[in-house]
Amino acid sequence: MTDRSDGPIGSLPEHLLVEIFTRLPICEWVQISCVSKHWASLFQGEYLWQTAIARNWPSVGFRKRWPGPIPRGSARRRFQALYVCENLVPSGGEIDELVGHTYLYLKQQLERLAVPPSSILHGTIIDQFIACGRTGEKAHELASKIWLAVIDNLEENQQTFMLLKHLAQEGEFFLPFPYSRSYKVLWRVFDKLFTDFPDCFSRADYHDALTSAKSRFQAVPSSWLGY
């Protein structure tokens, strides 16, 4: 990275550079931000991300109040949340920024070295949706959808294997609706664990995980048994 950008484009005013950058494919933004320190500073500021939000989601308003435990954060965080709810957690064409923020929150928490108990994470998600006006039933439905999306988009590496093993073996706690965790989420944890990471198990860990699965589900698929 240098302190200058050669050529005519390097002398353009910042607002024109932002207009150009936000019209380019998102997949190129990381490479563009590495051209110079000046360009990198544009991607670190608020103006570029506010412009990108207005260009990509012109109907999205800027709420003055954001209740609940999950913060909305900067314009860059808002852009990420809107991108997530449009591309990773689709909801029939409706853009729900809160879904994106909740996805980012959960993924960030699950990628920590010391993962909080999943019951606490789930309760935080439910409380956020209820604080923003969702019914208990809708909060339960959205929380389950977000858990599934996050699990499906975790990288296939040793850290994810350890996380899934932890979630699979985590103790069950009785929680009333809507704070009870979805059966579909627990099933997806075991399914991803047994189908995507069969070679990561030690014999003892595999036996413990399979025993836990059999105690929670009436029947387990043959793919979980290694054949």
Side-chain angles (χ1 to χ4, degrees):
M1 184 180 293
T2 64
D3 289 315
R4 63 189 178 85
S5 299
D6 294 328
I9 193 172
S11 60
L12 290 176
E14 288 190 354
H15 72 279
L16 290 181
L17 287 174
V18 167
E19 288 294 327
I20 292 171
F21 295 160
T22 55
R23 285 174 164 81
L24 296 174
I26 295 173
C27 60
E28 297 180 7
W29 287 7
V30 172
Q31 185 177 356
I32 293 169
S33 67
C34 295
V35 170
S36 72
K37 291 182 179 180
H38 179 212
W39 290 12
S41 68
L42 294 178
F43 282 90
Q44 293 168 1
E46 289 284 288
Y47 178 64
L48 181 143
W49 298 102
Q50 291 172 355
T51 303
I53 290 172
R55 177 168 300 283
N56 288 277
W57 302 283
S59 62
V60 174
F62 286 79
R63 296 183 182 181
K64 295 181 179 179
R65 180 172 177 269
W66 185 263
I70 299 175
R72 189 167 73 169
S74 64
R76 179 172 184 167
R77 183 79 170 188
R78 288 197 70 207
F79 180 91
Q80 292 172 334
L82 290 163
Y83 180 87
V84 164
C85 68
E86 184 175 62
N87 296 279
L88 300 182
V89 194
S91 54
E94 179 184 354
I95 300 297
D96 189 343
E97 184 181 342
L98 178 55
V99 169
H101 283 289
T102 308
Y103 174 99
L104 294 174
Y105 163 79
L106 179 59
K107 191 171 188 294
Q108 188 176 45
Q109 294 297 313
L110 292 180
E111 289 175 344
R112 294 172 56 182
L113 292 178
V115 180
S118 63
S119 56
I120 293 178
L121 296 178
H122 188 71
T124 301
I125 291 171
I126 295 294
D127 287 341
Q128 178 65 70
F129 281 122
I130 292 176
C132 289
R134 308 301 196 277
T135 65
E137 183 176 352
K138 186 63 175 178
H140 181 78
E141 175 190 338
L142 289 171
S144 299
K145 182 183 292 187
I146 290 166
W147 270 98
L148 293 172
V150 170
I151 291 170
D152 286 343
N153 285 283
L154 291 172
E155 294 184 15
E156 292 189 14
N157 53 32
Q158 184 67 20
Q159 183 178 345
T160 297
F161 168 70
M162 297 301 294
L163 167 65
L164 294 173
K165 189 172 70 168
H166 168 75
L167 293 176
Q169 296 176 342
E170 200 175 33
E172 282 292 327
F173 300 96
F174 174 75
L175 294 170
F177 182 84
Y179 293 91
S180 54
R181 281 164 287 174
S182 168
Y183 177 93
K184 291 181 180 179
V185 173
L186 186 58
W187 178 275
R188 186 70 60 85
V189 168
F190 278 100
D191 187 57
K192 191 171 182 66
L193 190 60
F194 286 121
T195 58
D196 291 354
F197 299 95
D199 298 330
C200 295
F201 281 107
S202 66
R203 183 181 297 273
D205 283 345
Y206 175 78
H207 179 268
D208 290 344
L210 187 59
T211 299
S212 179
K214 288 181 176 179
S215 69
R216 300 183 187 206
F217 307 110
Q218 291 184 350
V220 298
S222 59
S223 59
W224 294 10
L225 303 175
Y227 56 85

